[in-house]
Amino acid sequence: MKIIDLVRHGEPDTSIHDDFLRPLTLTGIRQAEMVSSKLQKQPYTHIFASPLRRSVETVVPLAKKQNISVETNNLLVERKMPEWFDSSQKFTDYINHQWLDFKYYQAGGESLQHAQTRYISFIKDKCKEDEHIAIGSHGTVMSTIYELVYPGKGFEFWKYLPYGSILRLKISHESYIYAELI
């Protein structure tokens, strides 16, 4: 059985609009330390992360405690957005549309279905049976995986998923049998 702990990055500094360079806030750094403390005794074989700075910064404290290097992979980026939305209403409208239609996206962005497929591809390719993996991840993509395991529940999961959350997946022979916040 594969065990994969998807770790939502800590609180990001949204004053930085460059998705790849957006760091954690001081609260986000504290959340990363809490994740590290919570997971320090897990027997990880690998720690991966999205190459987005906030995701890497979230799992680095855990990797240091485990004496494992963080391996970044482009398949683990967050769902690509078409632009930086200058109002919360535009962002909310876009997100709501995407959850109503999993294939919906605007030019320059990607659908939730595509983001989910990228993650599934990574998990199938990089995560072998009998391994315990941690992945520095993102809330939207984690919610699409939750949706895969529990159809119709992903949007509500996303709406209430705090920064620094950990979603544990258990996968047996490529079947998702368990997904739970720990």
Side-chain angles (χ1 to χ4, degrees), residues 1 124 129 149 170-178:
M1 179 173 300
K124 285 182 178 179
E129 289 295 319
V149 179
K170 290 187 178 179
I171 305 167
S172 180
H173 305 295
E174 303 309 322
S175 294
Y176 295 81
I177 59 170
Y178 176 85

Side-chain angles (χ1 to χ4, degrees), residues 73-84:
N73 190 294
N74 288 333
L75 291 175
L76 299 174
V77 298
E78 174 66 296
R79 173 250 303 110
K80 295 173 188 139
M81 296 293 283
E83 62 181 305
W84 180 266

Side-chain angles (χ1 to χ4, degrees), residues 154-169:
F155 181 65
E156 287 298 311
F157 181 82
W158 173 79
K159 283 180 17 181
Y160 300 105
L161 184 66
Y163 292 117
S165 295
I166 304 157
L167 177 65
R168 176 160 291 164
L169 301 174

Side-chain angles (χ1 to χ4, degrees), residues 126-137:
K126 297 289 186 182
C127 307
K128 308 301 180 210
E129 289 295 319
D130 300 321
E131 286 191 322
H132 194 160
I133 308 291
I135 298 176
S137 189

Side-chain angles (χ1 to χ4, degrees), residues 75 102 110-124 141 144-145 148 176:
L75 291 175
F102 227 55
E110 75 178 324
S111 70
L112 294 179
Q113 182 180 45
H114 187 262
Q116 181 190 62
T117 300
R118 273 193 293 102
Y119 260 67
I120 293 167
S121 169
F122 178 85
I123 288 168
K124 285 182 178 179
V141 178
T144 69
I145 300 300
L148 178 70
Y176 295 81

Side-chain angles (χ1 to χ4, degrees), residues 98-111:
Q98 285 204 299
W99 279 101
L100 289 172
D101 178 359
F102 227 55
K103 295 179 182 180
Y104 174 77
Y105 67 97
Q106 292 178 359
E110 75 178 324
S111 70

